[in-house]
Amino acid sequence: MNPNPTHAPFRPPPAPVRLWRAGAPWLRRAVLWAFAVWCLFPIYWLVTMSLKTDLQSISRPPLFLFTPTLQNYAAVAHMPEVWGYFASSSIIAIGSTALGLALGVPTAYVLARYRFRGNADFGFWILSTRMTPPVAMLIPFFALYVRTGLVDTYVGVIIAHFALNLSIVVWLMKGFFEDLPPELEEAAFMDGASYFQAFRQICLPLALPGIAAVGILSFLFSWNEFLFSMVLTQEIRTVPLGLYNFVGYQEIRWGELSASAVLMLAPVLAFVFVFQRQLVRGLTMGAIK
């Protein structure tokens, strides 16, 4: 019973209305649209630069309204060396990605499933190869390649890109395999399956989203790599090195540079668009839901 009936019972004040959660869904959309514009504006600027003439490219202030032209794409299409850049980058990116998945996925499975002496140290050593700045490994790589004759060869660049991307493959796939319930493999062992059969028939199919995501990331890193390709090659030129050739001593050919960059982005964007479901599922959901 209330000892003082003349006073109303205490009521806590109402909770403040949070604008972000309930009051303004338009604010969330505005933030997302602003972030999308921030991310897509460089691509828009690159495409518009590729459709401008040389005078329009260097105009101040920049032109947003102009008559587009395809002369830069026509000039780039008649350069045979440009298609050589694309062929070299494709060979190196596909080769390094395939080699990284072939060696990195089984390594990640062993680190995730089996506890042996030095397991943590071995995993940390693989991760430490990514911590090292790439410029610190250039001289050892170059000295080793000179002695073995791997300078200016596809095999040499593939091995270098593979060494850079192996830690990403191993550590990402290690997380996917750890998410798999071990009871699935134990059931396969009871049915007479070997360790390799359990890995190939049980774990690999369940980890396909992760393998696809890791493969896409490895391909993109290899496609965009510049430093090792510049130092370890002379005649073999990848796409980033080919773009650098448009930067001269006295001028920069902005139109041809932008057109070549758009052509460089086209296969990557198409590759990501085709495998976007696997990429999103692999990076957000893990091996299984």
Side-chain angles (χ1 to χ4, degrees), residues 105-188:
V105 173
T107 303
Y109 176 75
V110 172
L111 291 177
R113 278 293 184 260
Y114 302 102
R115 295 294 179 262
F116 53 89
R117 184 176 181 181
N119 180 293
D121 296 335
F122 183 72
F124 180 77
W125 173 76
I126 295 178
L127 182 62
S128 66
T129 60
R130 191 66 184 181
M131 300 177 186
T132 306
V135 68
M137 299 184 290
L138 274 178
I139 295 178
F141 261 96
F142 184 77
L144 179 63
Y145 277 27
V146 169
R147 294 187 179 184
T148 56
L150 291 176
V151 176
D152 201 26
T153 61
Y154 286 111
V155 176
V157 183
I158 288 174
I159 293 176
H161 289 190
F162 158 75
L164 293 175
N165 296 331
L166 180 62
S167 59
I168 297 177
V169 176
V170 171
W171 275 91
L172 289 180
M173 289 306 306
K174 181 175 179 291
F176 285 107
F177 286 125
E178 288 177 346
D179 290 339
L180 290 176
E183 291 79 9
L184 298 176
E185 297 159 84
E186 294 174 358

Side-chain angles (χ1 to χ4, degrees), residues 17 22 78 111 123 134 154 171 194 229 235 270 279:
V17 178
H78 288 83
L111 291 177
Y154 286 111
W171 275 91
S194 63
S229 300
E235 299 296 332
L279 179 62

Side-chain angles (χ1 to χ4, degrees), residues 41-155:
F41 183 79
I43 299 178
Y44 160 79
W45 190 257
L46 180 66
V47 174
T48 56
M49 285 285 291
S50 67
L51 299 175
K52 294 179 180 179
T53 61
D54 294 337
L55 293 178
Q56 292 172 344
S57 299
I58 61 177
S59 64
R60 295 294 182 272
L63 296 177
F64 288 93
L65 298 177
F66 60 93
T67 302
T69 177
L70 297 177
Q71 64 180 12
N72 296 317
Y73 290 96
V76 170
H78 288 83
M79 296 180 183
E81 61 272 15
V82 172
W83 304 110
Y85 302 152
F86 279 88
S88 298
S89 290
S90 300
I91 294 173
I92 293 171
I94 294 174
S96 62
T97 301
L99 184 61
L101 293 178
L103 297 181
V105 173
T107 303
Y109 176 75
V110 172
L111 291 177
R113 278 293 184 260
Y114 302 102
R115 295 294 179 262
F116 53 89
R117 184 176 181 181
N119 180 293
D121 296 335
F122 183 72
F124 180 77
W125 173 76
I126 295 178
L127 182 62
S128 66
T129 60
R130 191 66 184 181
M131 300 177 186
T132 306
V135 68
M137 299 184 290
L138 274 178
I139 295 178
F141 261 96
F142 184 77
L144 179 63
Y145 277 27
V146 169
R147 294 187 179 184
T148 56
L150 291 176
V151 176
D152 201 26
T153 61
Y154 286 111
V155 176

